[in-house]
Each structure stands twice: as structure tokens, then as C-alpha cells.
Amino acid sequence: MAGQRVEVDGGIMEGGGQILRVSTALSCLLGLPLRVQKIRAGRSTPGLRPQHLSGLEMIRDLCDGQLEGAEIGSTEVTFTPEKIKGGIHTADTKTAGSVCLLMQVSMPCVLFAASPSELHLKGGTNAEMAPQIDYTVMVFKPIVEKFGFKFHCDIKMRGYYPKGGGEVIVRMSPVTQLNPINLTDRGSVTKIYGRAFVAGVLPFKVAKDMAAAAVRCIRKEIRDLYVNIQPVQEPKDQAFGNGNGIIIIAETSTGCLFAGSSLGKRGVNADKVGIDAAEMLLANLRHGGTVDEFLQDQLIIFMALANGVSRIKTGPVTLHTQTAIHFAEQLAKAKFTVKKSEDEEDASKDTYIIECQGIGMRNPNL
């Protein structure tokens, strides 16, 4: 299998952990030996961090591959993939590194494994600079399953910054091929719901205040819908450490899902956390797309692998999405086009259609 090594520059475009995730997942899927250089070159702490390392090690283990240069702070790794196998695999960031980002790198791979997989992912479930686990379950899951697979996500323990300590178990069966998706009809917003949580020593009042502030903020713009945000005290035996945050979801008549979320930090009052999440949701609803800014880039790898033409309608195309497209084209040879939406109702908005001719990846192990 070892052909020419594909060279990836980890310092271009988004220049962070995402390049590593997309390129190692594609390398593993396509059996392409890979070298990534200048890893996270533009970041304040360049090189591999614990969460990137645990993601790489899990991909290596998933396919019995070889990994060189994989240590904390390393700016270059080489990876030689072998056959993807199912079974039980564990990845532990030992920090608040995001379990959702571990899921992002491993999920495309285990879809093309030889048998069902169970991934034990440990780290932060609700971490900064990453999707919250609630987002993964409530937004990412129902949409990504439109590609023609199902996965089960069991949140065993929630974990927060700075200690992590969370654990999520993901179970999924392999597929022969992925179906393309067409998400271009937005419909109208039919419901808005969410959860505002506190964990550990934080008082329940914080959850209620986050929820109330978020509802007030949304009501200013959307008057005719009931907004149902549940305040939640995470059970002691299901949450490690202290944390608070909120996620709010809008669902449309055509089944599109949008979210706004925010995490509490020391010294930031509860109202502000709630308002930040509400404003993020409202911003995602204004642009007329069918996916929010966080789902955009997560769908690219699946579109690239699918058998046929996929289309999604988005707001402004994020740097993360441009980066994912760049590497999906370079490594998988999928063809993407991004153009402004021509629908009349989108004329005044920043709305785009991302179209992809997928490569129709077939599972060689089934």
C-alpha cells in the first residue's frame, strides 16, 4: 500500500488542529501515507497538544498504522495507515481536550471499518473552542445521519475545563457507501429549545439566570414562538468538576437545526453567557442557510466521501470550511464548488451553496 507520501502543510489556512484531523482521517480512509509539517504553526503554543496526540494515536490504533514524531510539541508527524478494523478503542486526552473533536477525526474512519466499533472518548465534553457534546448529539447527529448511517452516543460523565474527566461512548456499525445529501431548503423556524446547565459547586440560580437572559434576548427578535430552555443541575455522579453553559437550538419545518451555545468562565455573569448563546443562534438564523457555522465544516469530509452530488446552503463560508474543502480536494480528489445562492430571498443575504461531487468511497472491508 505504501505509495508516495502525501505532504501536508499544517500551517496554512486555518493552521490548527483541524488540518491534522481532516488529513489523518482521509489518509486512514484512502490508505495514503501522510506527512504533516508545520503543525499548528500559527498558534500561540505550536505543535501537538494532548488532544491532537490522543486523536492521532486513536487513528493509528484503529488501523494498526505506524505513527512517527507523535509527541507533545512536535511540529511534524508521518503516518502510514493499514486496514481499518472495528472493535473497542479508547482515546484519553487526560485534559479538558474535546471528546467532540476526537469524534470528528475517528467517525469517518470507523464508518469504513471491517466490523462495528465502540469508541471510548475521554476528556472535556463541554470545552472551549470546540463543539459541546450537546451540540454533537442534538445538531450534528441528526444531520450527519442523513448520509445513511446511525450512531449511538452515550454520555457517561461530563467534564469541564480545566480538568476534563468526561467520558463518552460512541457505537456505530460500518457502511458500504455513504449517500449524498441535499440541504438547500431552509423552511421556517418552528421551535426553539435548549438546556442551561450548572455542574459541581455552582448554584442552580446560575442555570435559571442564563436561561432567562437567553429567552429575553430571543424574544426581542422572534416574538411568536415559545422558547423552551430548561435549566438543569447536572447530577453529581454524571459530572466531573465545575462548569456552566447553555445551548439553544432552533428547528425548522424542513428539519434543519441551528444552534447557539456558550460556556461560563470565571468572572463572567450568567446573563452574559445566556445572551452570547442567544445572539449566536440569531446570527445563524439571519443568513438564510440550512446549516449553522459549526456544522458547515463538519459535513465536508462526508460530502467528499459520498456517492454522488451533495449540496448544502450556508451563510458566509468559514475558514474551517475552506480548509476542510482544500484538503478533501487535495487528498480525496473530491470536487467542490462554492457559489453565491441565486434564490430571490437570499439576494440580500450572504448565502452560499457548497456543492460536492463525492468520490463514492466503497468500504473495502465489507
Side-chain angles (χ1 to χ4, degrees):
M1 241 167 139
Q4 195 58 39
R5 251 185 220 290
V6 179
E7 300 283 340
V8 161
D9 180 342
I12 62 170
M13 302 178 79
E14 183 269 336
Q18 189 211 8
I19 294 179
L20 207 57
R21 287 189 291 279
V22 173
S23 58
T24 32
L26 288 169
S27 154
C28 178
L29 283 159
L30 301 162
L32 294 169
L34 178 72
R35 177 185 290 120
V36 187
Q37 291 164 308
K38 299 187 196 151
I39 293 169
R40 298 181 67 256
R43 296 296 191 257
S44 55
T45 47
L48 293 175
R49 305 303 303 148
Q51 68 264 34
H52 307 114
L53 189 56
S54 48
L56 282 176
E57 290 170 344
M58 178 165 59
I59 296 296
R60 174 197 66 198
D61 297 347
L62 281 174
C63 70
D64 278 334
Q66 280 158 337
L67 187 56
E68 285 148 53
E71 58 232 24
I72 307 278
S74 165
T75 55
E76 180 171 323
V77 295
T78 58
F79 174 56
T80 313
E82 296 294 335
K83 181 175 155 172
I84 306 171
K85 57 193 199 314
I88 299 177
H89 298 277
T90 301
D92 185 353
T93 66
K94 305 203 172 45
T95 64
S98 165
V99 296
C100 303
L101 295 179
L102 291 174
M103 211 183 292
Q104 248 180 52
V105 65
S106 53
M107 187 173 283
C109 300
V110 294
L111 276 176
F112 292 90
S115 60
S117 302
E118 188 175 295
L119 308 174
H120 293 239
L121 310 175
K122 298 176 183 179
T125 56
N126 300 75
E128 282 293 336
M129 308 299 294
Q132 296 194 41
I133 191 65
D134 308 87
Y135 181 92
T136 299
V137 172
M138 295 162 86
V139 178
F140 172 76
K141 182 180 191 293
I143 304 296
V144 84
E145 286 181 343
K146 294 180 191 286
F147 286 100
F149 66 91
K150 289 262 183 278
F151 72 94
H152 183 79
C153 185
D154 184 8
I155 305 168
K156 285 274 179 242
M157 181 68 75
R158 288 170 177 268
Y160 312 98
Y161 182 82
K163 291 200 182 99
E167 181 178 14
V168 172
I169 298 178
V170 178
R171 295 184 185 87
M172 57 200 300
S173 292
V175 293
T176 314
Q177 237 178 358
L178 293 175
N179 307 325
I181 61 167
N182 185 12
L183 292 180
T184 48
D185 181 8
R186 160 111 175 239
S188 53
V189 177
T190 51
K191 51 175 141 162
I192 296 180
Y193 52 90
R195 74 193 297 269
F197 69 85
V198 289
V201 299
L202 293 160
F204 187 55
K205 181 182 184 310
V206 170
K208 291 197 286 204
D209 289 350
M210 287 188 295
V215 170
R216 283 195 303 272
C217 182
I218 291 167
R219 285 259 164 77
K220 286 187 194 139
E221 201 155 322
I222 300 175
R223 292 193 181 82
D224 48 350
L225 275 181
Y226 174 60
V227 180
N228 178 17
I229 302 175
Q230 292 289 316
V232 182
Q233 171 83 55
E234 300 290 9
K236 288 265 183 277
D237 59 344
Q238 286 165 34
F240 182 81
N242 308 310
N244 67 298
I246 180 170
I247 179 164
I248 318 164
I249 290 168
E251 197 173 307
T252 75
S253 52
T254 54
C256 299
L257 296 163
F258 300 82
S261 66
S262 182
L263 284 169
K265 292 192 216 26
R266 191 160 288 173
V268 176
N269 77 17
D271 286 24
K272 177 158 169 38
V273 181
I275 290 165
D276 284 352
E279 286 181 341
M280 184 190 291
L281 176 67
L282 293 169
N284 272 310
L285 288 173
R286 282 181 204 120
H287 59 53
T290 58
V291 297
D292 65 30
E293 60 188 309
F294 305 104
L295 199 57
Q296 252 185 49
D297 65 285
Q298 295 187 64
L299 297 179
I300 297 300
I301 191 167
F302 297 99
M303 292 168 72
L305 296 169
N307 184 29
V309 176
S310 290
R311 274 184 207 90
I312 59 174
K313 190 192 261 195
T314 72
V317 178
T318 65
L319 182 57
H320 270 92
T321 298
Q322 292 165 19
T323 305
I325 289 173
H326 175 87
F327 289 102
E329 291 189 324
Q330 183 191 338
L331 298 169
K333 306 289 185 260
K335 289 275 175 285
F336 283 85
T337 55
V338 179
K339 50 178 192 282
K340 204 126 170 43
S341 169
E342 282 154 15
D343 292 357
E344 279 94 66
E345 75 262 25
D346 299 331
S348 61
K349 299 182 183 139
D350 230 1
T351 316
Y352 298 83
I353 301 282
I354 300 176
E355 185 174 297
C356 173
Q357 175 66 57
I359 63 171
M361 169 93 187
R362 291 193 78 84
N363 189 334
N365 306 306
L366 281 190

